[in-house]
Amino acid sequence: MATLSSEKIHFSDISNFTAAIWNHTHVMRYDYHKLGASVDMGCPETPKLFGVMSKYEYFNASYYWLLFANGTLDEATCLLSEQNLNVDAKVTLVVDQGVQQDVFDVYDVFSPSIRRGATLNTTLMGTWSHEIGFTIAVNQSEYERRVDLRGISLKSAVTTLDQLHHHTLLQFLASNETKREYSFHKLGYHMLAFLVEKHNFSVEYIRNSNWGLNSTDGRSSHGVIGQVATKKVDFTVNVLIHTAERVGLADYTVNVGLPRFLLLFRHPRINEGHFFFLQPFRLDLWIAILVIGFLAVLVTYFSYNDSRSENRRLAWLTVFGFLFQQGTSSIISHSSTRITLLSVLAFSFLISQFYSAYIVGYLLIVPPKTIRTLKNLLDSDLKVVVENLGYHKYYLNKTKDPIAVELYHRKILNGEDNFLNVTEGIARVKRGGYAFHCDTAYVYPLIVQAFTDKEICDLQEMVLHPLRTLHFPLRKGSEFKEMFRITLRKATETGNMAYQRKFFFSDKPKCYKNQLETVSVGLDRLLMLFYGLLAAMAGSFIVMLLEMGYFSVFRNREVLKRNRGVERFK
């Protein structure tokens, strides 16, 4: 036996081959480079060597085998039919033609799956001779030559999570009903339908009650993950997320979708407080406006004082009238007063433009989002509920993210039943004050049916789970990995995969709110203005009563004085 690589050629004498002491792991080590092995089948110890190769599955896609038959084709195939040669085997058999000297027939040898009872296939690829070289007889790619699995029966694990239905298992998996719950087993079944049609094989389904998310040690056969990890099945119908702990348990084909496990909630309305109309300007700007108004009152007051005008007590009223863009009935004779009042009027106009622009703009734009991160959510008053699905529970119990852990313990494990079904979770989101962690693939279509347009516009999403792709999993070392990968790639190229993804995955509903609709202002925003107006009217009424009382008393005193003067005169 000789093993070849780009660096070295190693020869092993198997004339005294002993399987118990032969270090096959050292000889067949390939260090991520495909290895070529050449065997003289005329050696009497070849069957023992092939026994070790079959037991440890060395007839796989990682090794190229060149076998030289010492007898006829039938003798060689009789020995090879007993070996673990599968559809991914890279075995080339060279047989002396026996008709012409130094002319050899070259065969491609494989089996769809020896483990599943398939027979050996030998395809004549061409002939080789010293004079002519290699003459190709079959012009096919390896994929095309081995695409037909000849009706073999493969085993598949599947879990429907005990979902209630009134059909057979296959009818349920093939149905295209509206998605209202976990449906990635149906996605996997449609992917499997491509493979069955293309490769001509049948499937024996083994039902499981759950995923077996904790079956990551490679020894437990619990759930679909345990079934594929212990190689009791060839693949699973349920497409699975590729995670680090499952790398050594299964082989994966191609990305069939990106599930979005998200926290959904209606963003709470920002509490603007009762002083909404004071928000356009900060406190220091309001103080500056009052200071400028006070200075203008002083300038106007002194100008009236200099002229000894009887209207100087109305200086403050005149200035604040201009500040609020109102006129005055007073006669203004001084240029300094006119300049002051015109400046106040221009200042008032500019301030008013900035103020009104802010108010109008604030009412038209979408309110800013203040809950953007898990930390914001943790600090908010929102309650958190989770879809009652094993994936979510598994992640929350395994995650090392400190914020996610704190969120789990503070807002989910708080003594309440916060693991709900989809219907109840959506109802709480609609009601407001709740964030619902769920699989949006089937939740978003339900939200479109249940939510109003305004409620959809309020909807916000946040990532708790890391987004990971879904894959079609096979048992570790599966002979079908490369073939199924190519087939699913072809399904992607033809648009079939995109069609399935569009059906089984959903995007966030669009907000179709009319941008030209009339903006309504609630009474709560104007409440303080009404309070201020009522307070001013009440204050004015009180002042009016005081003034009336004062002038009444003053007039009575004047009348008394006049009466006393008349009496003295008499």
Side-chain angles (χ1 to χ4, degrees), residues 77-295:
T77 55
C78 182
L79 175 60
L80 291 174
S81 63
E82 300 174 356
Q83 313 309 318
N84 189 15
L85 270 69
N86 297 301
V87 73
D88 65 336
K90 312 290 187 183
V91 177
T92 301
L93 177 63
V94 179
V95 181
D96 190 346
Q97 194 177 69
V99 178
Q100 303 180 42
Q101 187 178 6
D102 294 333
V103 178
F104 302 89
D105 291 332
V106 180
Y107 294 89
D108 180 31
V109 183
F110 68 94
S111 170
S113 180
I114 290 291
R115 295 184 306 107
R116 300 306 179 195
T119 58
L120 194 70
N121 180 286
T122 54
T123 303
L124 179 63
M125 300 300 298
T127 59
W128 183 89
S129 65
H130 288 286
E131 292 78 10
I132 302 175
F134 186 63
T135 303
I136 299 177
V138 177
N139 188 20
Q140 282 183 318
S141 67
E142 181 180 295
Y143 173 80
E144 295 170 336
R145 190 165 60 254
R146 306 184 182 194
V147 69
D148 188 0
L149 298 182
R150 302 183 180 181
I152 63 174
S153 179
L154 302 181
K155 294 184 178 182
S156 174
V158 58
T159 178
T160 61
L161 303 180
D162 295 329
Q163 294 173 352
L164 180 64
H165 61 88
H166 303 286
H167 308 283
T168 65
L169 174 63
L170 296 185
Q171 289 174 339
F172 175 67
L173 292 175
S175 64
N176 289 324
E177 300 173 350
T178 303
K179 304 181 296 297
R180 294 184 177 275
E181 54 190 351
Y182 169 81
S183 59
F184 289 150
H185 46 355
K186 295 184 178 181
L187 171 63
Y189 179 80
H190 284 75
M191 298 296 101
L192 181 58
F194 295 146
L195 300 174
V196 169
E197 183 177 358
K198 182 69 175 179
H199 296 294
N200 183 27
F201 64 91
S202 61
V203 180
E204 177 186 351
Y205 296 93
I206 301 176
R207 300 190 67 163
N208 294 263
S209 59
N210 53 43
W211 285 294
L213 295 171
N214 293 318
S215 303
T216 57
D217 56 2
R219 295 185 295 272
S220 172
S221 60
H222 181 67
V224 293
I225 295 177
Q227 289 281 299
V228 74
T230 54
K231 301 185 179 180
K232 294 184 179 298
V233 296
D234 295 289
F235 46 80
T236 73
V237 171
N238 302 75
V239 289
L240 299 176
I241 294 175
H242 191 289
T243 59
E245 60 268 20
R246 299 178 197 163
V247 170
L249 304 180
D251 282 335
Y252 299 90
T253 52
V254 299
N255 170 19
V256 298
L258 180 65
R260 292 171 58 80
F261 302 131
L262 300 174
L263 278 162
L264 303 180
F265 58 92
R266 291 181 60 195
H267 196 285
R269 183 177 177 181
I270 299 175
N271 185 11
E272 298 162 346
H274 297 297
F275 300 97
F276 170 72
F277 281 91
L278 296 179
Q279 289 184 1
F281 299 153
R282 294 191 308 182
L283 178 61
D284 54 356
L285 183 54
W286 284 116
I287 294 174
I289 293 174
L290 293 177
V291 169
I292 290 176
F294 179 72
L295 293 177

